[in-house]
Amino acid sequence: MVSAHGSHEGSQEPSSITPGGTYSIQTVSVGCKIYVRRPTPDGGEEERLAEILSIRDKPVNQYAIATARRSTRGSVKEEDPESAPKPEDKWEYFVHWDQFNKRLDGWVTGSRLVLTRDLEWPRPKPPPGKKSGPGAHKVPGKVPRSQSLLKKATANAAAAASPTPASTPGPGSGRAGRTSPSPAPSLKRKSLHDEQEEEEEEEPEDEDADAEGEMDVDAEGEAESDTFELNVNGTPPEPPKPVSSFSKEQEIEKLRTSGSMTQSISEIARVKNLNRLQIGKHEVDAWYFSPYPKEYAHLPVLYICEFCLSYFPSPMMLSRHRRRCTLQHPPGNEIYRHEDISFFELDGKRQLTWCRNLSLISKCFLDHKTLYYDVTPFMYYVMTLRDPTGCHMVGYFSKEKESAENYNVACILTLPQHQRHGYGKLLIEFSYELSKKEGKLGSPEKPLSDLGLLGYRAYWAEVIVELLLNTTDDLSIDDIAQKTSITHADIMNTCTTLQLFKHYKGQHIICLSDAVLEKHEKTRSKRRRRIIPERLIWKPPVFTRDQLRFY
């Protein structure tokens, strides 16, 4: 895990340390590093260094209180003043465990903080005038081209796709595509005029917050709020460009450089806002921040309909919704069916609400992606398990309708309750089957998550080794690429990682070692499911110029 201090640690002053026992819990603030008691797998406890990312008052679950009141209705119970919480239990601290993966971050009570050990304070920030680093020589007032396009294109998409706020996805929607009477705050769309007025009013919050999932980061690591410098300096705001001024090339460039899913390093997104999700009969822990409405943050459990993906704060509201929800599978075309596995193809422009809800769920388990309003530039391919009650989602991947870099996957996810069952490789294999139908070479969009990188490396190694074993003719890198639809760069990286390249008689050859063969046989014995190309009934979608205008 990268340290939170950034890349300027060497030029900053050393952080000060307060000895243990000389401070109180009220002294602990955001940014401090302190030892916290953490349960171990064997049932014990350990004291591990952790960084404080956020502090809050202990939340009160209103739904649990209402349930308790209904269960004790008619009986009068006086509150015991001696049962008041202790001072250290009045607050909760969101901590990142040192040298642990970010998905293990979580809230701890104040009683778990070890006040008898040293407290490390955050390093002081450098003076504003002495900024160093890649962004130090940035021309003031200059708006990055990709970000200005992204901001304006997103605003135009909001105005075109949702003329009224009632068409936004919300927990009250019964099925995908139906408008909601009470739109969710974080997915609320505004007209162009309203958005210009609110940008100036809410600018201080947007400078350091990503609570609504709208902040992007450019190549120099500076926040998107820099695009408002012209207005802050007194220059009157420019009127938005008409829709006709955006060309197809600009839209492709916007998607390629800073599209709807790019890397983000904003601080607010580090604080996980959901605890657990109940999807169907499974209840899973949320791993990362996801821009659900603030009203749903920090609930004990967020209840999600497994068919239409609407979200609810209580099981009663979910059960009431399930009685009128008629969906039994993703609202798209079934393009593959074999045994109990089905794949559905969805257009983000046609199934806007469902795809937005899907993106909210996936953001709970993907840290390297940033969620935006616009899902219209993407096609979604959802894998499901069929049973008598319907088709239950296992995972999905999204794909740009037109990719400048020939990416065949923009975002890929297997839900945590279905991981370690081979479904991830099945999703990857299916994406390459689509590339074979298109007659193109494909590669996943970078950066990949840690689990995604492991899955792709395992798939590439298995496919390449299997092809070499089943072919007696000499194969070049280009031959392997044409037969598997894997790009030349991915093949070269995989062969280098497996140490398949050998120098023989003045040229490089591919040689399979005994260790690689042994590992391949072990992998083949474990893998149970494969994609049957004959079961795929699909033609590559063709889009006109008007259909590729995502605004």
Side-chain angles (χ1 to χ4, degrees):
M1 182 69 189
V2 180
S3 174
H5 299 308
S7 60
H8 308 293
E9 285 190 3
S11 61
Q12 291 183 349
E13 301 178 7
S15 53
S16 58
I17 296 178
T18 301
T22 61
Y23 61 91
S24 63
I25 194 169
Q26 288 82 2
T27 312
V28 181
S29 61
V30 175
C32 294
K33 288 188 176 181
I34 189 174
Y35 282 88
V36 183
R37 297 184 184 89
R38 180 180 181 277
T40 57
D42 57 1
E45 276 190 345
E46 65 172 349
E47 296 180 357
R48 175 168 286 274
L49 186 64
E51 180 185 359
I52 305 295
L53 301 182
S54 181
I55 303 175
R56 71 180 184 187
D57 293 331
K58 193 171 184 179
V60 178
N61 185 5
Q62 300 295 337
Y63 297 100
I65 292 177
T67 303
R69 286 177 178 173
R70 285 194 297 267
S71 61
T72 58
R73 186 173 296 171
S75 61
V76 180
K77 184 178 180 181
E78 297 183 359
E79 186 177 353
D80 187 3
E82 296 182 358
S83 62
K86 298 179 181 180
E88 60 268 20
D89 290 331
K90 293 181 180 178
W91 302 285
E92 289 186 342
Y93 300 81
F94 190 84
V95 299
H96 165 65
W97 304 101
D98 188 42
Q99 298 180 356
F100 273 22
N101 191 283
K102 184 180 173 182
R103 67 172 62 99
L104 299 178
D105 296 359
W107 292 97
V108 299
T109 57
S111 58
R112 290 171 59 181
L113 272 59
V114 184
L115 305 180
T116 57
R117 301 191 65 170
D118 293 349
L119 173 68
E120 181 181 343
W121 293 91
R123 287 179 171 84
K125 296 181 179 179
K130 298 182 179 180
K131 183 179 178 182
S132 61
H137 304 288
K138 188 173 181 179
V139 179
K142 183 177 180 181
V143 181
R145 176 175 176 271
S146 60
Q147 291 186 15
S148 60
L149 283 175
L150 174 62
K151 189 72 178 179
K152 293 174 183 177
T154 306
N156 289 334
S162 179
T164 60
S167 61
T168 60
S173 57
R175 55 186 294 183
R178 185 178 296 177
T179 58
S180 169
S182 57
S186 69
L187 295 176
K188 184 177 180 181
R189 289 179 178 262
K190 308 177 182 66
S191 64
L192 292 177
H193 178 70
D194 295 338
E195 191 167 15
Q196 288 179 351
E197 293 180 351
E198 294 191 17
E199 279 176 1
E200 296 183 357
E201 296 175 359
E202 300 179 358
E203 185 181 353
E205 296 180 3
D206 291 341
E207 287 181 355
D208 59 353
D210 193 23
E212 306 301 322
E214 294 184 64
M215 180 172 285
D216 193 11
V217 175
D218 60 13
E220 297 178 349
E222 298 209 357
E224 192 180 17
S225 57
D226 290 341
T227 59
F228 298 102
E229 287 182 13
L230 293 177
N231 294 344
V232 174
N233 294 336
T235 305
E238 291 184 5
K241 293 184 179 181
V243 172
S244 59
S245 65
F246 289 96
S247 65
K248 175 181 175 181
E249 289 75 13
Q250 288 176 321
E251 288 300 315
I252 295 176
E253 178 68 14
K254 180 260 294 183
L255 289 173
R256 185 183 68 81
T257 57
S258 57
S260 63
M261 292 186 176
T262 54
Q263 193 173 6
S264 175
I265 56 172
S266 70
E267 290 299 312
I268 189 65
R270 298 178 64 191
V271 180
K272 185 168 60 178
N273 59 338
L274 297 176
N275 297 319
R276 297 178 72 83
L277 305 175
Q278 181 175 314
I279 308 174
K281 61 181 181 180
H282 302 281
E283 188 171 310
V284 296
D285 290 324
W287 292 357
Y288 305 113
F289 169 87
S290 181
Y292 277 96
K294 296 179 181 179
E295 291 78 5
Y296 298 86
H298 311 305
L299 292 173
V301 180
L302 182 65
Y303 299 89
I304 297 177
C305 175
E306 63 177 330
F307 295 114
C308 71
L309 307 186
S310 298
Y311 41 90
F312 305 91
S314 68
M316 179 195 67
M317 297 177 68
L318 175 64
S319 61
R320 186 172 59 187
H321 161 80
R322 287 298 307 143
R323 287 194 291 269
R324 66 173 186 268
C325 181
T326 57
L327 275 182
Q328 291 185 330
H329 58 78
N333 297 325
E334 187 178 9
I335 60 175
Y336 178 89
R337 176 182 291 189
H338 178 63
E339 297 177 347
D340 59 343
I341 296 291
S342 290
F343 276 88
F344 290 83
E345 181 185 52
L346 290 82
D347 189 340
K349 188 174 183 179
R350 295 183 177 181
Q351 302 296 339
L352 200 64
T353 301
W354 199 94
C355 293
R356 285 177 180 167
N357 290 340
L358 176 62
S359 299
L360 286 173
I361 294 176
S362 64
K363 187 63 184 70
C364 293
F365 311 107
L366 294 174
D367 181 42
H368 65 295
K369 299 292 183 182
T370 298
L371 184 64
Y372 279 94
Y373 294 135
D374 205 3
V375 295
T376 56
F378 297 93
M379 299 294 294
Y380 291 81
Y381 298 89
V382 183
M383 181 171 65
T384 62
L385 282 176
R386 296 192 322 276
D387 64 14
T389 62
C391 296
H392 310 275
M393 185 176 67
V394 173
Y396 85 100
F397 67 89
S398 59
K399 181 178 180 179
E400 288 179 284
K401 294 179 180 177
E402 183 168 328
S403 175
E405 301 291 340
N406 286 331
Y407 291 135
N408 64 351
V409 166
C411 182
I412 186 169
L413 172 71
T414 303
L415 293 177
Q417 63 267 30
H418 299 293
Q419 291 180 1
R420 303 188 67 84
H421 294 287
Y423 296 122
K425 279 189 179 180
L426 209 61
L427 280 169
I428 296 173
E429 184 177 0
F430 189 80
S431 68
Y432 280 102
E433 287 297 331
L434 298 185
S435 297
K436 292 177 183 178
K437 286 273 189 177
E438 293 175 318
K440 299 178 181 178
L441 305 184
S443 181
E445 183 179 331
K446 313 302 187 297
L448 287 168
S449 63
D450 50 357
L451 296 179
L453 181 60
L454 292 175
Y456 267 96
R457 281 179 176 173
Y459 172 78
W460 290 332
E462 182 179 350
V463 170
I464 293 174
V465 173
E466 187 173 353
L467 177 63
L468 294 175
L469 289 176
N470 296 334
T471 304
T472 57
D473 300 332
D474 294 337
L475 291 177
S476 63
I477 298 296
D478 186 64
D479 294 333
I480 298 176
Q482 296 302 324
K483 290 178 179 295
T484 62
S485 289
I486 303 175
T487 61
H488 298 77
D490 292 335
I491 295 174
M492 293 288 291
N493 292 335
T494 303
C495 292
T496 304
T497 303
L498 297 177
Q499 298 180 353
L500 301 184
F501 291 131
K502 304 295 181 183
H503 193 73
Y504 179 74
K505 291 184 179 181
Q507 62 180 356
H508 288 87
I509 62 172
I510 298 177
C511 180
L512 299 178
S513 62
D514 294 338
V516 172
L517 294 175
E518 182 180 351
K519 185 176 181 180
H520 178 69
E521 290 298 328
K522 186 177 180 180
T523 303
R524 287 189 61 187
S525 62
K526 288 183 178 179
R527 192 171 182 189
R528 297 172 295 176
R529 297 180 183 269
R530 296 296 297 264
I531 294 294
I532 309 300
E534 294 76 16
R535 298 286 184 173
L536 175 60
I537 304 176
W538 179 77
K539 289 184 178 180
V542 179
F543 301 98
T544 63
R545 179 178 299 180
D546 291 337
Q547 291 173 332
L548 290 174
R549 290 178 178 174
F550 311 121
Y551 45 84

